[in-house]
Amino acid sequence: MTSVTDCFAHLRDRGECALIPFITAGDPSLEITEKALKLLDESGANLIELGVPYSDPLADGPVIQAAATRALQRGTHLDQVLAMVQRLSPQLQAPIILFTYYNPIYKRGLTPFFQAIAQAGVKGLVVPDLPLEEAQPLLETAAAHGIEVTLLVAPTSSPERIKRIAAQSQGFIYLVSTTGVTGVRSQLEARVQDLLHGLREVTDKPIGVGFGISQPEHAQQVRQWGADAAIVGSAFVKRLAHSDPNQGLAEVQAFCQSLKRSLQQE
């Protein structure tokens, strides 16, 4: 498993747009999560975001909130998630990016947290409720353990703030396509294209677009607008929550393949 930066460098050399699926660990079970990670890795995912279930996921919409609640009700916790990643990571090509809120990190302590996730084989981290003004200690500790922390740019961010976030973000920059929480939407907001162009003026780092991408056409659109990655969450989580876990896995695999094909089309 390569680093997030190296993965994007290889893709950029080949002129490819990355596909980054998101799933919630432990929904419907950690066993199914492990199977899903393998399937995504085999079906075109270039990097994979793995959400740690949290009781108050403010940035997540109803689909991912419900998945996190189900996972917590089954007793899923961070140590179980990391044990699964450590067991699985040597088999994966796609780098694992952990998605977690700040409170579990604070509770464990920065150094113990990063020691644990680095040992498990995690390569990147997204902390959606970490403001830029308070990010420096986390960024420094992460760097000391070889973990790249990706920061989020919101549509409402000022040009000056976007510039500062872009300078600090590691691996890539996560461009939130819409105000509000994650979730499936019927179409993307056209201003995403303007936001991408504005980011390009202040950074040459890769840019991934997320929140609301739920169809192959959406992924193709953000690629045409100039994104380096399409990040797809709720649409995967919803499929994986199928009442028949095997059917859910089959739907996840087919959806991943269709998204990857759309990103390869001219």
Short mmCIF file of all heavy atoms in Angstrom, two decimals, residues 123-187:
data_model
loop_
_atom_site.label_atom_id
_atom_site.label_comp_id
_atom_site.label_asym_id
_atom_site.label_seq_id
_atom_site.Cartn_x
_atom_site.Cartn_y
_atom_site.Cartn_z
N LYS A 123 -2.98 5.28 5.98
CA LYS A 123 -2.08 6.22 5.31
C LYS A 123 -2.53 7.67 5.37
O LYS A 123 -1.72 8.59 5.23
CB LYS A 123 -1.92 5.81 3.84
CG LYS A 123 -1.30 4.44 3.64
CD LYS A 123 0.11 4.37 4.22
CE LYS A 123 0.77 3.03 3.97
NZ LYS A 123 2.12 2.96 4.57
N GLY A 124 -3.84 7.88 5.54
CA GLY A 124 -4.36 9.25 5.55
C GLY A 124 -5.44 9.42 6.59
O GLY A 124 -5.95 8.44 7.16
N LEU A 125 -5.80 10.67 6.83
CA LEU A 125 -6.80 10.98 7.86
C LEU A 125 -7.60 12.20 7.43
O LEU A 125 -7.05 13.18 6.93
CB LEU A 125 -6.10 11.27 9.20
CG LEU A 125 -7.01 11.61 10.38
CD1 LEU A 125 -7.81 10.40 10.83
CD2 LEU A 125 -6.18 12.15 11.56
N VAL A 126 -8.92 12.13 7.65
CA VAL A 126 -9.82 13.27 7.48
C VAL A 126 -10.56 13.46 8.80
O VAL A 126 -11.15 12.52 9.33
CB VAL A 126 -10.83 13.04 6.34
CG1 VAL A 126 -11.84 14.19 6.28
CG2 VAL A 126 -10.11 12.90 5.01
N VAL A 127 -10.50 14.69 9.33
CA VAL A 127 -11.19 15.03 10.58
C VAL A 127 -12.11 16.21 10.27
O VAL A 127 -11.68 17.36 10.28
CB VAL A 127 -10.18 15.40 11.70
CG1 VAL A 127 -10.92 15.61 13.02
CG2 VAL A 127 -9.11 14.32 11.84
N PRO A 128 -13.39 15.95 9.96
CA PRO A 128 -14.25 17.00 9.42
C PRO A 128 -14.57 18.14 10.38
O PRO A 128 -14.95 19.23 9.93
CB PRO A 128 -15.52 16.25 9.02
CG PRO A 128 -15.53 15.04 9.89
CD PRO A 128 -14.10 14.66 10.05
N ASP A 129 -14.44 17.91 11.70
CA ASP A 129 -14.77 18.97 12.65
C ASP A 129 -13.54 19.64 13.23
O ASP A 129 -13.63 20.31 14.27
CB ASP A 129 -15.66 18.42 13.77
CG ASP A 129 -15.00 17.30 14.57
OD1 ASP A 129 -14.02 16.72 14.08
OD2 ASP A 129 -15.49 17.00 15.68
N LEU A 130 -12.41 19.51 12.57
CA LEU A 130 -11.18 20.15 13.04
C LEU A 130 -10.96 21.47 12.31
O LEU A 130 -10.64 21.48 11.12
CB LEU A 130 -9.98 19.23 12.80
CG LEU A 130 -8.61 19.79 13.22
CD1 LEU A 130 -8.53 19.91 14.74
CD2 LEU A 130 -7.49 18.90 12.69
N PRO A 131 -11.12 22.61 12.97
CA PRO A 131 -10.90 23.90 12.31
C PRO A 131 -9.42 24.13 12.04
O PRO A 131 -8.56 23.67 12.80
CB PRO A 131 -11.46 24.92 13.29
CG PRO A 131 -11.49 24.25 14.61
CD PRO A 131 -11.59 22.78 14.37
N LEU A 132 -9.16 24.84 10.98
CA LEU A 132 -7.78 25.12 10.58
C LEU A 132 -6.98 25.76 11.72
O LEU A 132 -5.81 25.42 11.93
CB LEU A 132 -7.78 26.05 9.37
CG LEU A 132 -6.40 26.51 8.86
CD1 LEU A 132 -5.60 25.34 8.32
CD2 LEU A 132 -6.58 27.59 7.79
N GLU A 133 -7.62 26.65 12.47
CA GLU A 133 -6.93 27.38 13.52
C GLU A 133 -6.42 26.48 14.65
O GLU A 133 -5.54 26.86 15.40
CB GLU A 133 -7.87 28.45 14.11
CG GLU A 133 -8.18 29.60 13.16
CD GLU A 133 -9.19 29.21 12.07
OE1 GLU A 133 -9.81 28.13 12.18
OE2 GLU A 133 -9.34 29.99 11.11
N GLU A 134 -6.99 25.29 14.77
CA GLU A 134 -6.60 24.36 15.84
C GLU A 134 -5.93 23.11 15.30
O GLU A 134 -5.72 22.15 16.04
CB GLU A 134 -7.85 23.98 16.65
CG GLU A 134 -8.53 25.18 17.30
CD GLU A 134 -9.83 24.80 18.01
OE1 GLU A 134 -9.98 23.62 18.34
OE2 GLU A 134 -10.67 25.69 18.21
N ALA A 135 -5.56 23.12 14.03
CA ALA A 135 -5.08 21.90 13.38
C ALA A 135 -3.59 21.64 13.54
O ALA A 135 -3.14 20.51 13.35
CB ALA A 135 -5.43 21.93 11.90
N GLN A 136 -2.80 22.66 13.87
CA GLN A 136 -1.36 22.52 13.81
C GLN A 136 -0.79 21.39 14.67
O GLN A 136 0.03 20.60 14.18
CB GLN A 136 -0.68 23.84 14.16
CG GLN A 136 0.77 23.94 13.67
CD GLN A 136 0.89 23.76 12.16
OE1 GLN A 136 0.06 24.26 11.40
NE2 GLN A 136 1.90 23.02 11.72
N PRO A 137 -1.20 21.26 15.95
CA PRO A 137 -0.65 20.15 16.74
C PRO A 137 -0.96 18.78 16.13
O PRO A 137 -0.10 17.89 16.13
CB PRO A 137 -1.34 20.32 18.10
CG PRO A 137 -1.69 21.76 18.17
CD PRO A 137 -2.05 22.14 16.77
N LEU A 138 -2.15 18.63 15.60
CA LEU A 138 -2.52 17.36 14.96
C LEU A 138 -1.70 17.13 13.70
O LEU A 138 -1.20 16.02 13.46
CB LEU A 138 -4.01 17.34 14.65
CG LEU A 138 -4.54 16.02 14.08
CD1 LEU A 138 -5.90 15.68 14.68
CD2 LEU A 138 -4.68 16.11 12.56
N LEU A 139 -1.54 18.17 12.88
CA LEU A 139 -0.76 18.04 11.65
C LEU A 139 0.68 17.65 11.95
O LEU A 139 1.26 16.79 11.27
CB LEU A 139 -0.81 19.34 10.86
CG LEU A 139 -2.15 19.73 10.24
CD1 LEU A 139 -2.10 21.16 9.71
CD2 LEU A 139 -2.53 18.77 9.13
N GLU A 140 1.25 18.25 12.95
CA GLU A 140 2.65 17.97 13.29
C GLU A 140 2.81 16.54 13.82
O GLU A 140 3.76 15.84 13.46
CB GLU A 140 3.14 18.98 14.33
CG GLU A 140 3.28 20.39 13.77
CD GLU A 140 3.63 21.41 14.84
OE1 GLU A 140 3.75 21.01 16.03
OE2 GLU A 140 3.80 22.60 14.51
N THR A 141 1.90 16.11 14.67
CA THR A 141 1.97 14.75 15.22
C THR A 141 1.73 13.72 14.12
O THR A 141 2.40 12.68 14.07
CB THR A 141 0.95 14.56 16.35
OG1 THR A 141 1.06 15.63 17.28
CG2 THR A 141 1.18 13.25 17.07
N ALA A 142 0.80 14.01 13.25
CA ALA A 142 0.53 13.11 12.13
C ALA A 142 1.76 12.95 11.25
O ALA A 142 2.14 11.82 10.88
CB ALA A 142 -0.64 13.64 11.30
N ALA A 143 2.39 14.06 10.91
CA ALA A 143 3.58 14.01 10.05
C ALA A 143 4.69 13.19 10.68
O ALA A 143 5.42 12.46 9.99
CB ALA A 143 4.06 15.42 9.76
N ALA A 144 4.83 13.28 12.01
CA ALA A 144 5.87 12.52 12.71
C ALA A 144 5.64 11.02 12.63
O ALA A 144 6.57 10.22 12.81
CB ALA A 144 5.92 12.95 14.17
N HIS A 145 4.39 10.62 12.32
CA HIS A 145 4.06 9.19 12.23
C HIS A 145 3.74 8.76 10.80
O HIS A 145 3.22 7.66 10.57
CB HIS A 145 2.88 8.87 13.14
CG HIS A 145 3.21 8.98 14.60
ND1 HIS A 145 3.16 10.17 15.30
CD2 HIS A 145 3.66 8.05 15.48
CE1 HIS A 145 3.52 9.96 16.56
NE2 HIS A 145 3.83 8.69 16.69
N GLY A 146 4.03 9.63 9.83
CA GLY A 146 3.85 9.26 8.43
C GLY A 146 2.41 9.25 7.96
O GLY A 146 2.07 8.59 6.98
N ILE A 147 1.52 9.98 8.66
CA ILE A 147 0.11 10.05 8.28
C ILE A 147 -0.18 11.39 7.64
O ILE A 147 0.18 12.44 8.19
CB ILE A 147 -0.82 9.86 9.51
CG1 ILE A 147 -0.52 8.54 10.22
CG2 ILE A 147 -2.28 9.96 9.10
CD1 ILE A 147 -0.85 7.30 9.44
N GLU A 148 -0.83 11.39 6.49
CA GLU A 148 -1.17 12.63 5.79
C GLU A 148 -2.61 13.03 6.15
O GLU A 148 -3.54 12.25 5.97
CB GLU A 148 -1.04 12.44 4.28
CG GLU A 148 0.41 12.19 3.87
CD GLU A 148 0.57 11.96 2.38
OE1 GLU A 148 0.11 10.92 1.87
OE2 GLU A 148 1.15 12.84 1.72
N VAL A 149 -2.75 14.26 6.64
CA VAL A 149 -4.06 14.76 7.06
C VAL A 149 -4.62 15.67 5.98
O VAL A 149 -4.02 16.70 5.65
CB VAL A 149 -3.96 15.53 8.39
CG1 VAL A 149 -5.34 16.06 8.80
CG2 VAL A 149 -3.39 14.64 9.48
N THR A 150 -5.76 15.29 5.45
CA THR A 150 -6.41 16.06 4.40
C THR A 150 -7.44 17.00 5.02
O THR A 150 -8.29 16.56 5.80
CB THR A 150 -7.10 15.12 3.39
OG1 THR A 150 -6.08 14.38 2.70
CG2 THR A 150 -7.92 15.90 2.38
N LEU A 151 -7.36 18.27 4.67
CA LEU A 151 -8.27 19.29 5.20
C LEU A 151 -9.38 19.57 4.19
O LEU A 151 -9.22 19.37 2.98
CB LEU A 151 -7.51 20.57 5.52
CG LEU A 151 -6.36 20.42 6.52
CD1 LEU A 151 -5.66 21.78 6.72
CD2 LEU A 151 -6.83 19.87 7.85
N LEU A 152 -10.50 20.05 4.72
CA LEU A 152 -11.68 20.30 3.89
C LEU A 152 -11.82 21.79 3.57
O LEU A 152 -11.61 22.64 4.43
CB LEU A 152 -12.95 19.82 4.60
CG LEU A 152 -13.19 18.31 4.68
CD1 LEU A 152 -12.32 17.69 5.77
CD2 LEU A 152 -14.66 18.00 4.93
N VAL A 153 -12.21 22.06 2.32
CA VAL A 153 -12.55 23.41 1.88
C VAL A 153 -14.05 23.45 1.64
O VAL A 153 -14.58 22.65 0.86
CB VAL A 153 -11.79 23.79 0.59
CG1 VAL A 153 -12.39 25.06 -0.02
CG2 VAL A 153 -10.31 23.98 0.86
N ALA A 154 -14.73 24.36 2.31
CA ALA A 154 -16.18 24.50 2.16
C ALA A 154 -16.51 25.52 1.08
O ALA A 154 -15.71 26.42 0.80
CB ALA A 154 -16.80 24.93 3.49
N PRO A 155 -17.69 25.40 0.46
CA PRO A 155 -18.08 26.38 -0.56
C PRO A 155 -18.16 27.81 -0.03
O PRO A 155 -18.05 28.76 -0.79
CB PRO A 155 -19.47 25.90 -0.99
CG PRO A 155 -19.54 24.47 -0.60
CD PRO A 155 -18.69 24.34 0.63
N THR A 156 -18.35 27.94 1.29
CA THR A 156 -18.48 29.27 1.89
C THR A 156 -17.15 29.84 2.36
O THR A 156 -17.10 30.97 2.87
CB THR A 156 -19.43 29.19 3.10
OG1 THR A 156 -18.96 28.15 3.99
CG2 THR A 156 -20.85 28.86 2.67
N SER A 157 -16.06 29.10 2.18
CA SER A 157 -14.75 29.57 2.63
C SER A 157 -14.31 30.80 1.83
O SER A 157 -14.50 30.86 0.61
CB SER A 157 -13.70 28.47 2.48
OG SER A 157 -14.02 27.35 3.27
N SER A 158 -13.71 31.76 2.50
CA SER A 158 -13.21 32.95 1.83
C SER A 158 -11.96 32.60 1.02
O SER A 158 -11.29 31.60 1.30
CB SER A 158 -12.85 34.02 2.85
OG SER A 158 -11.73 33.60 3.62
N PRO A 159 -11.63 33.41 0.01
CA PRO A 159 -10.40 33.13 -0.78
C PRO A 159 -9.15 33.03 0.09
O PRO A 159 -8.30 32.17 -0.14
CB PRO A 159 -10.34 34.33 -1.74
CG PRO A 159 -11.77 34.74 -1.90
CD PRO A 159 -12.39 34.52 -0.56
N GLU A 160 -9.03 33.89 1.09
CA GLU A 160 -7.85 33.85 1.96
C GLU A 160 -7.83 32.56 2.77
O GLU A 160 -6.77 31.94 2.95
CB GLU A 160 -7.86 35.06 2.88
CG GLU A 160 -6.69 35.09 3.86
CD GLU A 160 -5.32 35.00 3.20
OE1 GLU A 160 -5.17 35.54 2.09
OE2 GLU A 160 -4.41 34.40 3.81
N ARG A 161 -8.98 32.15 3.27
CA ARG A 161 -9.04 30.92 4.05
C ARG A 161 -8.74 29.70 3.17
O ARG A 161 -8.05 28.77 3.58
CB ARG A 161 -10.41 30.78 4.71
CG ARG A 161 -10.51 29.58 5.65
CD ARG A 161 -11.81 29.60 6.44
NE ARG A 161 -11.85 28.49 7.39
CZ ARG A 161 -11.24 28.50 8.56
NH1 ARG A 161 -10.54 29.55 8.93
NH2 ARG A 161 -11.33 27.46 9.37
N ILE A 162 -9.27 29.70 1.97
CA ILE A 162 -9.00 28.60 1.03
C ILE A 162 -7.50 28.49 0.79
O ILE A 162 -6.95 27.38 0.76
CB ILE A 162 -9.76 28.84 -0.30
CG1 ILE A 162 -11.26 28.58 -0.09
CG2 ILE A 162 -9.22 27.93 -1.41
CD1 ILE A 162 -12.11 28.92 -1.28
N LYS A 163 -6.85 29.61 0.63
CA LYS A 163 -5.40 29.60 0.38
C LYS A 163 -4.65 29.00 1.56
O LYS A 163 -3.71 28.20 1.39
CB LYS A 163 -4.92 31.03 0.12
CG LYS A 163 -3.48 31.14 -0.33
CD LYS A 163 -3.14 32.58 -0.70
CE LYS A 163 -1.70 32.69 -1.18
NZ LYS A 163 -1.37 34.10 -1.57
N ARG A 164 -5.07 29.34 2.79
CA ARG A 164 -4.39 28.82 3.98
C ARG A 164 -4.66 27.32 4.17
O ARG A 164 -3.78 26.57 4.55
CB ARG A 164 -4.83 29.62 5.22
CG ARG A 164 -4.26 31.03 5.23
CD ARG A 164 -4.48 31.71 6.57
NE ARG A 164 -5.87 32.05 6.80
CZ ARG A 164 -6.58 31.66 7.85
NH1 ARG A 164 -6.03 30.90 8.77
NH2 ARG A 164 -7.83 32.02 7.99
N ILE A 165 -5.89 26.89 3.89
CA ILE A 165 -6.22 25.47 3.99
C ILE A 165 -5.42 24.68 2.95
O ILE A 165 -4.85 23.62 3.26
CB ILE A 165 -7.73 25.24 3.80
CG1 ILE A 165 -8.50 25.83 4.98
CG2 ILE A 165 -8.03 23.75 3.65
CD1 ILE A 165 -10.01 25.83 4.78
N ALA A 166 -5.36 25.19 1.74
CA ALA A 166 -4.63 24.50 0.68
C ALA A 166 -3.15 24.34 1.04
O ALA A 166 -2.53 23.31 0.75
CB ALA A 166 -4.78 25.25 -0.64
N ALA A 167 -2.59 25.35 1.69
CA ALA A 167 -1.18 25.29 2.05
C ALA A 167 -0.91 24.23 3.11
O ALA A 167 0.16 23.61 3.13
CB ALA A 167 -0.72 26.66 2.56
N GLN A 168 -1.89 23.99 4.00
CA GLN A 168 -1.69 23.07 5.11
C GLN A 168 -2.13 21.64 4.81
O GLN A 168 -1.63 20.70 5.43
CB GLN A 168 -2.46 23.58 6.35
CG GLN A 168 -1.93 24.87 6.92
CD GLN A 168 -0.54 24.71 7.51
OE1 GLN A 168 -0.22 23.73 8.14
NE2 GLN A 168 0.32 25.70 7.27
N SER A 169 -3.06 21.47 3.89
CA SER A 169 -3.61 20.14 3.62
C SER A 169 -2.55 19.20 3.04
O SER A 169 -1.69 19.61 2.26
CB SER A 169 -4.79 20.25 2.65
OG SER A 169 -5.48 19.02 2.57
N GLN A 170 -2.63 17.95 3.44
CA GLN A 170 -1.64 16.95 3.03
C GLN A 170 -2.31 15.85 2.19
O GLN A 170 -3.47 15.52 2.41
CB GLN A 170 -1.00 16.32 4.27
CG GLN A 170 -0.33 17.33 5.17
CD GLN A 170 -0.05 16.78 6.56
OE1 GLN A 170 -0.47 15.69 6.91
NE2 GLN A 170 0.67 17.56 7.36
N GLY A 171 -1.57 15.32 1.24
CA GLY A 171 -2.13 14.26 0.39
C GLY A 171 -2.95 14.82 -0.75
O GLY A 171 -2.63 14.67 -1.92
N PHE A 172 -4.04 15.47 -0.38
CA PHE A 172 -4.88 16.18 -1.35
C PHE A 172 -5.75 17.16 -0.58
O PHE A 172 -5.67 17.25 0.65
CB PHE A 172 -5.73 15.20 -2.18
CG PHE A 172 -6.81 14.47 -1.41
CD1 PHE A 172 -8.14 14.82 -1.54
CD2 PHE A 172 -6.50 13.38 -0.60
CE1 PHE A 172 -9.15 14.14 -0.85
CE2 PHE A 172 -7.48 12.68 0.08
CZ PHE A 172 -8.82 13.07 -0.04
N ILE A 173 -6.55 17.92 -1.29
CA ILE A 173 -7.49 18.87 -0.69
C ILE A 173 -8.90 18.34 -0.91
O ILE A 173 -9.25 17.96 -2.04
CB ILE A 173 -7.34 20.28 -1.29
CG1 ILE A 173 -5.93 20.80 -1.03
CG2 ILE A 173 -8.38 21.23 -0.74
CD1 ILE A 173 -5.52 21.92 -1.96
N TYR A 174 -9.69 18.31 0.13
CA TYR A 174 -11.05 17.79 0.06
C TYR A 174 -12.00 18.97 -0.16
O TYR A 174 -12.25 19.75 0.75
CB TYR A 174 -11.39 17.06 1.35
CG TYR A 174 -12.64 16.20 1.34
CD1 TYR A 174 -12.60 14.90 1.85
CD2 TYR A 174 -13.86 16.67 0.86
CE1 TYR A 174 -13.72 14.09 1.87
CE2 TYR A 174 -14.99 15.88 0.87
CZ TYR A 174 -14.92 14.60 1.38
OH TYR A 174 -16.04 13.80 1.40
N LEU A 175 -12.52 19.10 -1.37
CA LEU A 175 -13.44 20.18 -1.69
C LEU A 175 -14.87 19.70 -1.47
O LEU A 175 -15.34 18.78 -2.15
CB LEU A 175 -13.25 20.63 -3.13
CG LEU A 175 -14.25 21.68 -3.66
CD1 LEU A 175 -14.22 22.95 -2.82
CD2 LEU A 175 -13.97 22.00 -5.13
N VAL A 176 -15.55 20.30 -0.52
CA VAL A 176 -16.95 19.98 -0.24
C VAL A 176 -17.82 20.64 -1.30
O VAL A 176 -17.75 21.86 -1.49
CB VAL A 176 -17.33 20.46 1.17
CG1 VAL A 176 -18.81 20.21 1.45
CG2 VAL A 176 -16.47 19.77 2.22
N SER A 177 -18.62 19.84 -2.00
CA SER A 177 -19.32 20.35 -3.18
C SER A 177 -20.54 21.20 -2.84
O SER A 177 -21.04 21.93 -3.70
CB SER A 177 -19.76 19.19 -4.08
OG SER A 177 -20.80 18.44 -3.46
N THR A 178 -21.02 21.11 -1.61
CA THR A 178 -22.24 21.82 -1.26
C THR A 178 -22.23 22.17 0.22
O THR A 178 -21.54 21.54 1.01
CB THR A 178 -23.49 20.97 -1.58
OG1 THR A 178 -24.67 21.73 -1.31
CG2 THR A 178 -23.51 19.69 -0.76
N THR A 179 -22.99 23.17 0.60
CA THR A 179 -23.15 23.46 2.03
C THR A 179 -24.06 22.39 2.64
O THR A 179 -24.88 21.79 1.96
CB THR A 179 -23.78 24.84 2.24
OG1 THR A 179 -25.00 24.93 1.48
CG2 THR A 179 -22.85 25.94 1.78
N GLY A 180 -23.89 22.15 3.93
CA GLY A 180 -24.70 21.14 4.58
C GLY A 180 -23.94 19.85 4.78
O GLY A 180 -22.71 19.81 4.73
N VAL A 181 -24.70 18.77 4.96
CA VAL A 181 -24.10 17.48 5.30
C VAL A 181 -23.97 16.60 4.06
O VAL A 181 -24.43 16.94 2.97
CB VAL A 181 -24.96 16.75 6.35
CG1 VAL A 181 -25.00 17.55 7.65
CG2 VAL A 181 -26.39 16.53 5.84
N THR A 182 -23.31 15.45 4.26
CA THR A 182 -23.18 14.49 3.19
C THR A 182 -24.54 13.93 2.81
O THR A 182 -25.50 14.03 3.56
CB THR A 182 -22.28 13.31 3.62
OG1 THR A 182 -22.91 12.65 4.73
CG2 THR A 182 -20.91 13.79 4.02
N GLY A 183 -24.62 13.32 1.62
CA GLY A 183 -25.88 12.69 1.22
C GLY A 183 -26.01 12.59 -0.28
O GLY A 183 -25.29 13.26 -1.04
N VAL A 184 -26.93 11.75 -0.71
CA VAL A 184 -27.19 11.55 -2.13
C VAL A 184 -27.97 12.74 -2.66
O VAL A 184 -28.96 13.16 -2.07
CB VAL A 184 -27.99 10.24 -2.34
CG1 VAL A 184 -28.40 10.10 -3.80
CG2 VAL A 184 -27.18 9.04 -1.90
N ARG A 185 -27.53 13.28 -3.79
CA ARG A 185 -28.26 14.38 -4.42
C ARG A 185 -28.45 14.09 -5.90
O ARG A 185 -27.69 13.34 -6.50
CB ARG A 185 -27.48 15.70 -4.24
CG ARG A 185 -27.46 16.17 -2.77
CD ARG A 185 -26.56 17.37 -2.58
NE ARG A 185 -26.67 17.90 -1.22
CZ ARG A 185 -26.03 17.42 -0.17
NH1 ARG A 185 -25.21 16.39 -0.32
NH2 ARG A 185 -26.20 17.94 1.03
N SER A 186 -29.48 14.70 -6.48
CA SER A 186 -29.81 14.40 -7.87
C SER A 186 -28.85 15.07 -8.85
O SER A 186 -28.64 14.59 -9.96
CB SER A 186 -31.25 14.84 -8.17
OG SER A 186 -31.39 16.23 -7.96
N GLN A 187 -28.27 16.20 -8.45
CA GLN A 187 -27.33 16.88 -9.34
C GLN A 187 -26.32 17.68 -8.53
O GLN A 187 -26.54 18.00 -7.37
CB GLN A 187 -28.07 17.80 -10.31
CG GLN A 187 -28.85 18.92 -9.64
CD GLN A 187 -29.64 19.73 -10.63
OE1 GLN A 187 -29.92 19.29 -11.75
NE2 GLN A 187 -30.02 20.94 -10.25
#
